[in-house]
């Protein structure tokens, strides 16, 4: 039951933060969305910053699990590039709030040490996870990149962030099949290396 309540509250916080932004989010709005008392919400979150940090962490853990599956299931560089592109496009189509909240986190981090520390921690965890996964894929000979695993992880993180930003600010860009095709080809070039 506790896990259900936590999920309900995190979902409500995610929805309110993505609709109203950090500045427009209040504990009262999140409590109303979740159908719980303000007091119960304070049990789960010490502050609004803590709420944003937990929502960001939860979203990143979801993405981490998704990427973990892609790394484990990929049988070739082509398969990896196609799966990564497909997962990122599905995330855009079904959970666009992920991108909104990530950018909100970056914005709030400029003024909040709590959020800055959380964003930094998440970034490092994400890049370290990518690096280790690329090392395993290289050992399995699934990919043969010319870059080091660390360089590859940094570059792909940057590509994902940049594409996420474009998807948020350029109307209709997510419907452009050429964008997704180019993204997939770019990822393939990075992980396949010279044949």
């Amino acid at each position: 039951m506790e896990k259900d309540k936590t999920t309900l509250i995190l979902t409500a916080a995610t929805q309110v933060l993505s609709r109203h932004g950090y500045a427009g989010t209040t504990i009262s709005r999140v409590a109303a969305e979740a159908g719980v008392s303000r007091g119960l919400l304070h049990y789960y979150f010490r502050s609004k910053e803590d709420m944003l940090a937990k929502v960001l962490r939860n979203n990143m853990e979801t993405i981490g699990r998704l990427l973990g599956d892609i790394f484990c299931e990929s049988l070739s560089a082509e398969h990896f590039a196609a799966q990564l592109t497909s997962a990122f496009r599905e995330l855009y189509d079904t959970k666009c709030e992920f991108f909104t909240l990530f950018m909100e986190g970056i914005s709030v981090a400029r003024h909040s040490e709590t959020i800055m520390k959380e964003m930094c921690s998440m970034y490092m965890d994400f890049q370290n996870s990518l690096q280790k996964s690329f090392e395993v894929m290289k050992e399995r000979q699934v990919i043969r990149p010319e870059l080091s695993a660390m360089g590859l992880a940094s570059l792909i993180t940057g590509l994902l962030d940049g594409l996420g930003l474009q998807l948020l600010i350029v109307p209709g860009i997510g419907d452009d099949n050429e964008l997704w095709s180019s993204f997939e080809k770019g990822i393939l070039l990075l992980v396949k290396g010279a044949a």
Side-chain angles (χ1 to χ4, degrees):
M1 189 64 157
E2 181 70 22
K3 186 176 181 181
D4 292 341
K5 186 69 78 174
T6 301
T7 301
L8 173 75
I9 290 171
L10 272 174
T11 299
T14 299
Q15 291 170 348
V16 172
L17 282 162
S18 66
R19 275 197 309 265
H20 300 285
Y22 182 75
T25 293
T26 63
I27 296 295
S28 295
R29 276 188 167 155
V30 175
E33 181 84 20
V36 301
S37 70
R38 286 174 46 101
L40 183 61
L41 212 62
H42 281 293
Y43 171 78
Y44 286 92
F45 308 118
R46 292 185 313 271
S47 64
K48 194 163 83 165
E49 283 180 324
D50 183 47
M51 179 173 50
L52 178 59
K54 286 182 178 171
V55 165
L56 291 169
R57 176 64 66 180
N58 185 61
N59 283 350
M60 190 57 74
E61 287 170 355
T62 299
I63 299 307
R65 286 189 297 274
L66 175 68
L67 286 175
D69 291 344
I70 292 170
F71 279 110
C72 289
E73 295 170 4
S74 292
L75 304 174
S76 67
E78 292 82 3
H79 189 241
F80 171 76
Q83 291 293 97
L84 182 62
T85 303
S86 176
F88 207 65
R89 187 171 193 172
E90 184 176 338
L91 188 65
Y92 170 74
D93 289 341
T94 63
K95 294 195 181 295
C96 195
E97 70 271 4
F98 170 81
F99 301 104
T100 303
L101 289 169
F102 185 72
M103 294 306 163
E104 190 76 19
I106 291 171
S107 177
V108 173
R110 296 180 60 229
H111 308 286
S112 166
E113 188 177 329
T114 300
I115 300 302
M116 179 62 82
K117 285 180 181 176
E118 187 65 26
M119 293 292 290
C120 182
S121 173
M122 285 188 311
Y123 245 89
M124 297 311 298
D125 291 349
F126 184 75
Q127 282 201 345
N128 289 337
S129 177
L130 281 182
Q131 180 179 341
K132 289 175 186 167
S133 296
F134 285 132
E135 288 167 355
V136 169
M137 289 179 74
K138 283 172 77 172
E139 287 173 15
R140 290 179 24 221
Q141 297 185 355
V142 172
I143 61 173
R144 292 181 177 84
E146 294 181 25
L147 300 174
S148 68
M150 183 179 76
L152 189 58
S154 294
L155 191 55
I156 288 184
T157 298
L159 287 173
L160 292 171
D161 289 348
L163 181 56
L165 180 61
Q166 290 177 64
L167 291 169
L168 276 179
I169 63 173
V170 181
I173 196 171
D175 299 325
D176 182 354
N177 289 328
E178 179 60 29
L179 168 82
W180 296 106
S181 177
S182 296
F183 180 76
E184 182 176 335
K185 287 174 186 173
I187 295 295
L188 179 58
L189 287 171
L190 287 171
V191 298
K192 191 171 185 179

